[in-house]
């Protein structure tokens, strides 16, 4: 599971921003899967309902455990990161869940000031929750953040303008 996560759901590149190297991370933490019990016609059939719900709950439990582990891996990488960093991605968790707190604690959530009335990032059809985030090291401050309707995904993207809090010394 660790290698699969690192290979498919976790990427790091180093970018040059105004002559300063910055680590840019992109993550996509584990989801519950495409099958949701409320979309399952089998649940309408009382003869199969119990086994279908049991199967879904098992999948749900495994996804939560996997996501918790992935959050721990991301956190450890950020703690070891020597460069200023920007982490973006789909956490598949809200700010109220442990996964978010594990990753974001002590760092800056760029769009934390947006209320749910300004819109969430998921689902595009009815965006009530935010599960996509931009987290930065304390080297940055946010000038602007907004969520935009693009209708190209089931998620709505966050657009942010961030700047260095104190312009770092450029490497020689």
């Amino acid at each position: 599971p660790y290698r699969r996560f690192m290979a498919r759901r976790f990427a790091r590149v180093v970018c040059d921003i105004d002559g300063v190297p910055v680590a840019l991370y992109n993550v996509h933490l584990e989801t519950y899967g495409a099958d949701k019990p409320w979309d399952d016609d089998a649940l309408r059939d009382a003869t199969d309902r119990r086994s279908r719900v049991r199967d879904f709950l098992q999948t749900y439990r495994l996804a939560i455990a996997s996501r918790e582990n992935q959050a721990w891996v991301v956190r450890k990488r950020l703690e070891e990161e020597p460069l200023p960093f920007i982490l973006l991605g789909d956490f598949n968790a809200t700010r109220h869940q442990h996964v978010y707190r594990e990753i974001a604690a002590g760092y800056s959530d760029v769009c934390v000031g947006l209320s749910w009335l300004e819109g969430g990032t998921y689902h595009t059809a009815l965006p009530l929750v935010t599960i996509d985030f931009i987290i930065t090291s304390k080297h940055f401050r946010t000038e602007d953040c907004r969520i935009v309707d693009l209708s190209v995904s089931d998620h709505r993207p966050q657009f942010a303008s961030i700047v260095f809090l104190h312009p770092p010394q450029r490497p020689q």
Side-chain angles (χ1 to χ4, degrees):
Y2 173 78
R3 285 190 180 141
R4 191 182 110 194
F5 168 66
M6 295 302 285
R8 296 184 56 220
R9 298 176 176 265
F10 185 88
R12 177 188 183 268
V13 297
V14 176
C15 304
D16 181 286
I17 300 177
D18 296 330
V20 178
V22 174
L24 179 64
Y25 290 89
N26 186 8
V27 298
H28 186 189
L29 302 184
E30 190 72 39
T31 183
Y32 303 117
D35 296 331
K36 307 292 191 268
W38 49 85
D39 293 334
D40 191 341
D41 288 335
L43 287 180
R44 291 177 183 81
D45 177 9
T47 60
D48 195 33
R49 186 176 301 147
R50 181 175 287 175
S51 67
R52 296 292 293 156
V53 168
R54 186 174 44 248
D55 290 348
F56 176 76
L57 290 176
Q58 175 68 6
T59 300
Y60 191 81
R61 184 185 69 75
L62 292 172
I64 289 172
S66 178
R67 193 174 326 133
E68 289 285 338
N69 184 55
Q70 292 169 354
W72 183 85
V73 169
V74 170
R75 180 62 188 207
K76 293 302 169 201
R77 281 297 292 265
L78 296 180
E79 288 173 350
E80 295 168 0
E81 180 58 62
L83 300 174
F85 69 81
I86 302 168
L87 168 75
L88 334 138
D90 179 354
F91 287 23
N92 275 309
T94 67
R95 286 184 178 95
H96 302 96
Q97 293 176 291
H98 180 262
V99 165
Y100 168 84
R101 292 190 309 268
E102 174 76 27
I103 295 171
Y107 301 125
S108 298
D109 179 342
V110 170
C111 295
V112 73
L114 295 179
S115 74
W116 73 272
L117 293 172
E118 294 172 274
T121 62
Y122 185 81
H123 185 277
T124 302
L126 187 61
L128 296 177
V129 296
T130 297
I131 61 173
D132 305 277
F133 300 98
I134 304 171
I135 306 293
T136 69
S137 59
K138 295 294 186 178
H139 299 89
F140 302 96
R141 70 176 167 81
T142 304
E143 290 194 335
D144 182 45
C145 183
R146 63 191 182 286
I147 297 172
V148 179
D149 283 313
L150 290 182
S151 301
V152 296
S153 168
D154 58 340
H155 295 252
R156 297 177 346 143
Q158 295 178 339
F159 283 85
S161 174
I162 60 175
V163 296
F164 285 109
L165 188 60
H166 304 286
Q169 298 295 323
R170 297 173 192 214
Q172 300 299 328

